[in-house]
Amino acid sequence: MNGMSETQRAQPINAQLLYLHRLSGVRYSATFESASSYALTPIHGAVRHASVKELANAEVWQLLP
C-alpha cells in the first residue's frame, strides 16, 4: 500500500476543470465521464460532450486556471 486513501486517488479525476470554448466564448465546467470523455456544462444552455482529444485542440478549447 502506498499510503493514499481511495479519496485521495480519486481527487484528480473528480476535480472540476474549466474550459473556454474559444469559438463561442462560452465557459464550461468539465466533469470526467470516462477514460476518453468529459461532460461540459455551461452556466446556461445544454451540456456538451467532448473527448480528451477534442479538448486538446488549443485552437478551439482553452483550459482556464
Side-chain angles (χ1 to χ4, degrees):
M1 190 87 159
N2 65 5
M4 290 181 70
S5 71
E6 190 65 32
T7 303
Q8 288 171 320
R9 276 188 234 120
Q11 283 177 345
I13 293 172
N14 295 332
Q16 288 293 312
L17 300 173
L18 299 177
Y19 279 92
L20 171 67
H21 186 255
R22 292 177 181 240
L23 304 177
S24 67
V26 176
R27 293 173 188 238
Y28 290 88
S29 173
T31 305
F32 183 78
E33 282 189 316
S34 71
S36 62
S37 70
Y38 285 84
L40 301 168
T41 308
I43 292 175
H44 301 286
V47 173
R48 296 176 68 158
H49 299 274
S51 69
V52 172
K53 185 176 180 179
E54 290 170 325
L55 290 174
N57 182 348
E59 291 180 10
V60 178
W61 295 101
Q62 176 185 352
L63 180 61
L64 299 173

